Structure formats: C-alpha cells, structure tokens
Amino acid sequence: MIPDVDNDSIVYLNGQYVRLGDAKVSVLDRGFVFGDGIYEVVPVYSGKPFRMAHHIARLQRSLKAISIQVGFTDDQWADLFLDMIARTAPAMAGVSENVMIYLQVTRGVAKRDHAFPAHATPTIFCMVSPFKRPGAEQREKGLSTISIPDVRWLHCHIKSVSLLGNVLAKQAAVEAGVDEVVQFRDGFLSEGASTNIWVVRNGTLLAPEPNHLILEGVRYRFIESLAQKAGIPFEARPVSRTEVDTADELMLSSATKEVLPIVLHDGRPVGSGRPGPVYAALRAAYDQVLEAL
C-alpha cells in the first residue's frame, strides 16, 4: 500500500482498466531502467479538460522527438482521456471538482541495453488524480523564489520522465524555504523546476524563446494569447539575469498552478513586493476563460 494514494482508483495500463493497487509494470521496463519515456498532464475543471488539444499536440511532439511509436491518433488520445474522466468521476465526487490526467508512455519492456530495442511494445499508463486550484493567499500575497544555475540536459523541450534535474531543482527550493526556483543558463533565464517563468518590465511581458532549453508549457501560448487580448505587449527573447533581478513583476505558470505572482526573489521584493497590474490583468483573463468552460 502507498500512503495517501487511493489504491482502489481505476487506471489504464496497456489497454486494460484496473485498480491502481493491481497495476504492475516489469522491472525491465525502460521507463524504470533508463527513464526512457515521456509524460503529459492535462488539467480538468468540473469534468471538462482544459486545452486538451494543445496537451495532445505536445504529447505527440515528445513521442516523435524520442522515436516512440504508439500509433494513436489525436482523437484516440482524446477518447482515452475522456474515458478516464468518465470512469473516475464517481470516485472523485465529493473529493475534488478539479482533477488532472497523468499519462506516461515508455519505450516498453526489453533486455537492458542502451540502444533502442527492435521490437518492444510501448507501455501506456494513465490515471486521474484530484488537484487543488491555487488559493486566495497564493493569488493575493504571491510566492517566493531563488536563483539557481540550470545544469540540466539540452533537451528540455521534451516532456521526458527523466526528471532528476527538475527534482534536484525543486529540492533546492524546499531546502531554501521558498516556493520555486528560477533557473539561469549562461546568464539567461530558462525556467523553474516545474514551471515557466514570466518577467514584466515597463509594462511589457517577457519570456524566454520556446526552444530546446525550456519546456514550452501549454500555458506558454495560452498566456501569450491572454496578453494579446488584454493589450499587454509581449516579447519572446533571451531574458538576462539582470532583467529578472530588476523586474517590475515576476510570475510563474503551470498546468495546476495556473498563473501566480512572485513577490520575493533571492530575498528581495519584486517591484512593490505585491502582485502587480500585469499579473492582475492576466489572472482575471485566465479566470474568465475557466468560467466560460
């Protein structure tokens, strides 16, 4: 038994719907042995997946990037996600109105050898878990962060299950008593441990260019579109550490954290030390889209 996990919840594993407590994967699965796989997380609000098509598009990009061939079309992935929501809805009732779909695909089970196996069948695992939306305190008081060097690999655009670098980054935040890290590579902003980072200077929203050095979160393009609609200038370009250190506002975004303000960075207030007007405009626009679901 795993503490704090509902072992009776229904999960999908390789074409079968089974109890989580009964789901088993071989120790020779390449996801376990090599971290050879990808994953995706789709937030679901009151039974409705949010930007599911965008998550599926990133899923397909990640699979292609590491040459895992599952053979699922976009519609088949969507059907799996919707089926999982329907099957788990009764168990989630009264627990949380908001859930997240977690999908993991590995290259499958094979003899331990670094090269891709010739005939392995991919392992496909999917589960649904409750999540809490950011609370009023996080929205209104903001978060704290510290800077750390980005020492991860150079394929951060792949949503890989090889997350040791991200785990170490998150642990650095935990040990420093802050909410998240802000990582820099060669003097320029990359991202957080599990978030995209946003910078506001002179009313303009800045973000690193989406390339192999960051994971392009589904919220990245979404927040860019919200900025456009709100009339907030946006620039995707290299953002220096000096620009981060002297920012008027800092924010982070992710599937389950949505968008939140950073008010303390490296022990110093960001701007006025309170959530700023650009964050307020994006937060309001974000909530309007969710309410429209």
Side-chain angles (χ1 to χ4, degrees), residues 33-57:
V33 175
F34 292 116
D36 185 1
I38 60 91
Y39 74 105
E40 191 56 62
V41 175
V42 183
V44 180
Y45 296 91
S46 300
K48 297 175 182 177
F50 187 50
R51 295 179 74 80
M52 181 167 65
H54 298 79
H55 283 279
I56 291 173

Side-chain angles (χ1 to χ4, degrees), residues 188-210:
F188 290 93
L189 172 66
S190 54
E191 57 188 351
S194 58
T195 59
N196 287 129
I197 303 294
W198 304 84
V199 180
V200 178
R201 293 178 60 83
N202 300 319
T204 297
L205 183 65
L206 307 176
E209 296 173 284

Side-chain angles (χ1 to χ4, degrees), residues 16 63 68 81 88 98 130 162 180 197 199 218 260 291 293:
Q16 302 294 320
L63 288 168
I68 292 181
F81 294 159
T88 57
N98 304 315
S162 302
E180 177 61 300
I197 303 294
V199 180
V218 169
L260 289 171
E291 288 168 6
L293 286 175

Side-chain angles (χ1 to χ4, degrees), residues 222-272:
F222 177 51
I223 289 176
E224 179 183 356
S225 70
L226 294 182
Q228 276 188 328
K229 292 176 182 176
I232 300 168
F234 171 75
E235 294 180 13
R237 61 168 177 78
V239 181
S240 71
R241 182 161 182 171
T242 298
E243 289 180 299
V244 174
D245 290 343
T246 58
D248 300 319
E249 298 180 47
L250 294 176
M251 290 172 274
L252 59 77
S253 64
S254 74
T256 55
K257 290 181 175 61
E258 302 172 353
V259 60
L260 289 171
I262 298 168
V263 298
L264 190 69
H265 178 61
D266 285 338
R268 298 187 300 273
V270 177
S272 66

